[in-house]
Amino acid sequence: MVQYRSEVRDGMRVDWDVPIRMDDGVILRADVFRPVEDGRYPVIMSHGPYAKGLAFQEGFPHMWKPLTADHPEVLSGSSNRYQNWETADPERWVPDSYVCVRVDSRGAGRSPGRLDIFSPRETRDYYECVEWAGTRPWSNGRVGLLGISYYAVNQWQVAALRPPHLAAICPWEGASDYYREFTHHGGLLNIFSSVWYPAQVTSVQHGVGARGPVNPNTGEPVAGPETLPDEELAAGRADVAAELRSHPHDDEYYRQRSAELEKITVPVLSATNWAHHLHTRGGFEGYTRAASDHKWLEVHGLGHVTEFYTGHGLALQKRFFGHFLKGEETGWDRQPPVELNVRHVDGSFELRPEQEWPLARTQWTRLYLDTRSGALTERPPSGDTAGDTADDTADDTSADFEALGDGLTFVTEPFADEVEITGPAAARLFISSTTADTDLFLTLRVLDPDGGDVTFVSALDPAGVVGMGWLRASHRAVDPERSLPYRPWHPHDHAEPLTPGETVPLDIEIWPTSVVVPPGHRLAVTVQGRDFEFPGDGPWPGSYGVAMRGHGMFLHTDPGDRPADVYGGTTTLVSGPDRPSYLLLPFIPRTAPSPAATRRGPFPDGRR
């Protein structure tokens, strides 16, 4: 058995591989970073599968190098010896009288057991860890949860179980719905899990041992101490790719791995990114649906992990946790319920306080798709100009496109004035197909005066799209009780095949977005039956072998999920007086920024 070891280093008391016994007897291992002085301190905790001993610099150099090059402030105030991917740096928290606890989840890193991501067993383990931390001699009984991505997703999950010592959570860019956000988009299987799981999770499964990385601080294998054969490792973990293929609809498998947001009552700071095709939606859904009396939303841009480590993010986190874990006067009682970093096309952001989400002053606007001219316009389709007809649908016009081709693009006239679009969006499209099903990909784009695309740093992709929506036509059923005009809710619990040639309406959710469009620029929407790609020959940045051309790693290219004989037909888009196809967009009146609003460049220190 691994022994618990304690030492004082870099101004901290560090306890390595502390055992935490679960209710079924399995021992999880945690590293505990605390002040040298004896006392009772609030706890900042994370729990997940990325190996608590894996150095950020070694495990994720492709993220560490650009983060530190573009934002050198993240290197200040720390030796960076204890930096982990997507978790709090103890050297930035322990000096402020916090205890940082990092737990390797069951079956990962230094913790034995069956590896089964986001499972009920894993969530129960997190509950047990919170209660353990809240009752230690060095704890003041208040535990806060902090972390990005996986370490944010499972915050939503465990908070719904209401562990008594949980005092506050800050899920930073974390999904809350395993089906709609993590594994599927509008019913389409996302290949992310099949790429990410072997690269970032099973690579540090407990038992990789001597074949894996070593903790630079202890000299011990980050995924040990045992070194197990491949067949034993495979038998000790869930086969995520196979499980997703065997569950094409939103069933109990996904519900068990999704947060029951309405059961969350602790204070919440939900921080999300405008352009992450795994996490964006979850931050908004978590904020709006959590039952907490004390909840806040922060929205930012830039790279996936950037703002978590910058001064902007760190100050926000410390003000939040200082208030709820320490009872300090941090000014958090004056924090607006919503804080937006509104995107501008030059890469800067307008930091703006708001009182609600969506914004109460939103001017919900329909922009119609004119299949004759390719225009995107506020004018509804006028119908057949040749005269009246007894058949209303005879006035409709249509346009065909090959599902796996370039699709159709509809464009506004150049804007005469500055225009802001901030909020959730939706579309209603009338379509038919030559096959029994078709997938719809809707891409919002901003075009400069020369017709070129304006791109934005999109979490993992340095040149991403403005906004995105997806829907599989056979998943078109909506739940009227859960749907909102700007956010249709699809149960995704059954398939309704199309009758070839028959036109049906599709209500499509477009994930929340924000952009201020200058005069002379235009807004466009591209409708396709495949992932949108920015034009050009590249070279395109890659991640784990996936070329990123606007959507990062979040593509829908699994041939088993999208066989060409079904999803490679011809799709027809219909629009007319009785079957108008349109976007519903959140236009925000542009006024002089409030005194609290500031413009931030793409770099927090003001560099361009």
Side-chain angles (χ1 to χ4, degrees):
M1 175 178 288
V2 178
Q3 298 301 308
Y4 159 34
R5 182 164 66 89
S6 183
E7 62 179 326
V8 174
R9 54 189 295 165
D10 294 317
M12 302 180 291
R13 167 69 64 181
V14 186
D15 305 327
W16 303 106
D17 280 337
V18 180
I20 309 176
R21 182 177 294 274
M22 299 296 99
D23 56 359
D24 65 351
V26 170
I27 301 293
L28 304 189
R29 295 286 172 174
D31 290 341
V32 180
F33 303 83
R34 51 193 175 96
V36 175
E37 299 79 13
D38 289 338
R40 300 177 71 86
Y41 303 99
V43 178
I44 299 294
M45 174 175 273
S46 59
H47 168 273
Y50 294 159
K52 60 183 175 57
L54 180 61
F56 191 157
Q57 302 94 315
E58 179 183 356
F60 300 89
H62 59 292
M63 299 297 289
W64 176 257
K65 290 177 181 177
L67 173 66
T68 55
D70 293 342
H71 306 274
E73 66 176 290
V74 306
L75 295 171
S76 64
S78 173
S79 71
N80 300 294
R81 294 188 183 97
Y82 311 98
Q83 284 272 17
N84 270 180
W85 171 247
E86 301 186 330
T87 66
D89 179 358
E91 288 188 281
R92 288 188 168 90
W93 289 87
V94 174
D96 286 344
S97 298
Y98 288 92
V99 174
C100 284
V101 178
R102 292 172 174 164
V103 186
D104 278 336
S105 56
R106 183 178 297 234
R110 306 281 287 183
S111 295
R114 177 174 172 76
L115 178 59
D116 189 3
I117 60 171
F118 302 119
S119 64
R121 177 66 258 181
E122 189 178 88
T123 304
R124 180 66 195 184
D125 287 348
Y126 204 172
Y127 179 107
E128 299 280 337
C129 291
V130 169
E131 290 307 289
W132 174 86
T135 55
R136 296 306 94 192
W138 37 256
S139 171
N140 73 351
R142 297 180 181 179
V143 179
L145 308 183
L146 176 63
I148 313 174
S149 190
Y150 200 108
Y151 301 102
V153 175
N154 59 14
Q155 288 183 52
W156 294 117
Q157 291 178 289
V158 72
L161 299 184
R162 300 179 183 175
H165 287 89
L166 182 61
I169 65 172
C170 180
W172 198 280
E173 297 194 26
S176 60
D177 190 312
Y178 194 53
Y179 186 88
R180 289 166 182 80
E181 298 155 10
F182 205 102
T183 64
H184 292 72
H185 290 142
L188 289 70
L189 180 62
N190 179 355
I191 68 166
F192 171 78
S193 293
S194 64
V195 176
W196 155 82
Y197 186 63
Q200 291 186 210
V201 180
T202 67
S203 61
V204 288
Q205 181 182 354
H206 181 79
V208 168
R211 291 175 293 176
V214 171
N215 184 331
N217 297 300
T218 66
E220 297 284 343
V222 304
E226 298 93 348
T227 301
L228 303 176
D230 288 340
E231 58 270 20
E232 191 170 338
L233 290 173
R237 64 177 181 251
D239 186 340
V240 172
E243 290 176 344
L244 297 185
R245 293 190 196 100
S246 65
H247 294 271
H249 298 107
D250 185 16
D251 57 17
E252 187 63 16
Y253 170 80
Y254 297 100
R255 293 302 92 215
Q256 290 180 342
R257 289 163 172 77
S258 298
E260 296 185 81
L261 298 171
E262 289 77 9
K263 293 185 178 180
I264 296 174
T265 56
V266 295
V268 175
L269 169 57
S270 175
T272 194
N273 192 307
W274 291 119
H276 196 300
H277 293 163
L278 178 63
H279 298 314
T280 295
R281 183 183 186 274
F284 290 102
E285 288 288 312
Y287 170 74
T288 56
R289 290 169 51 197
S292 307
D293 292 330
H294 306 287
K295 58 182 181 178
W296 290 264
L297 174 69
E298 187 274 349
V299 195
H300 52 266
L302 299 180
H304 171 45
V305 303
T306 302
E307 293 286 34
F308 181 84
Y309 293 103
T310 62
H312 167 74
L314 187 62
L316 198 71
Q317 297 155 23
K318 286 191 173 182
R319 288 174 53 232
F320 174 70
F321 284 118
H323 181 84
F324 286 106
L325 301 189
K326 291 183 174 182
E328 292 179 340
E329 292 293 334
T330 66
W332 194 259
D333 55 332
R334 299 184 296 278
Q335 177 72 14
V338 176
E339 184 175 277
L340 304 181
N341 286 277
V342 177
R343 293 191 297 187
H344 287 252
V345 299
D346 63 357
S348 66
F349 294 87
E350 181 181 324
L351 183 62
R352 196 170 69 200
E354 298 288 354
Q355 295 301 307
E356 70 286 306
W357 182 267
L359 306 185
R361 64 185 183 280
T362 302
Q363 296 176 347
W364 297 103
T365 303
R366 290 185 179 185
L367 294 184
Y368 295 91
L369 281 61
D370 189 326
T371 55
R372 286 178 291 199
S373 65
L376 189 60
T377 173
E378 291 188 52
R379 298 186 300 275
S382 59
D384 185 0
T385 57
D388 295 333
T389 175
D391 180 3
D392 292 335
T393 62
D395 289 346
D396 293 339
T397 61
S398 64
D400 297 338
F401 62 92
E402 296 305 310
L404 302 183
D406 293 336
L408 304 172
T409 297
F410 300 86
V411 186
T412 66
E413 291 294 322
F415 291 115
D417 301 302
E418 187 176 70
V419 169
E420 178 182 339
I421 298 170
T422 296
R428 166 161 278 206
L429 302 184
F430 289 86
I431 65 96
S432 66
S433 175
T434 57
T435 65
D437 208 350
T438 189
D439 290 336
L440 271 292
F441 295 71
L442 271 62
T443 307
L444 297 183
R445 303 161 65 184
V446 171
L447 306 180
D448 64 24
D450 295 326
D453 279 283
V454 176
T455 63
F456 299 86
V457 176
S458 179
L460 300 182
D461 198 323
V465 300
V466 178
M468 194 67 208
W470 311 260
L471 185 63
R472 175 154 289 174
S474 61
H475 286 226
R476 62 190 177 276
V478 296
D479 181 344
E481 296 298 320
R482 301 193 67 172
S483 292
L484 298 166
Y486 51 79
R487 202 269 283 125
W489 182 276
H490 300 275
H492 296 296
D493 57 3
H494 67 287
E496 297 179 53
L498 298 174
T499 299
E502 180 179 342
T503 301
V504 298
L506 304 182
D507 293 300
I508 304 172
E509 176 183 7
I510 298 174
W511 285 16
T513 189
S514 176
V515 63
V516 176
V517 185
H521 287 57
R522 297 182 293 167
L523 183 70
V525 62
T526 296
V527 182
Q528 296 172 275
R530 61 168 175 85
D531 291 298
F532 172 82
E533 297 178 343
F534 283 120
D537 296 327
W540 302 103
S543 183
Y544 299 126
V546 178
M548 301 189 294
R549 299 185 61 175
H551 296 291
M553 299 163 60
F554 309 107
L555 304 179
H556 309 81
T557 54
D558 186 303
D561 184 65
R562 286 170 43 80
D565 61 333
V566 177
Y567 297 98
T570 299
T571 305
T572 299
L573 175 66
V574 175
S575 191
D578 293 287
R579 295 188 293 189
S581 291
Y582 60 84
L583 301 179
L584 180 67
L585 297 179
F587 283 82
I588 307 299
R590 289 296 288 169
T591 58
S594 68
T598 59
R599 286 290 289 276
R600 302 172 62 232
F603 300 97
D605 61 7
R607 292 179 295 119
R608 290 286 174 175

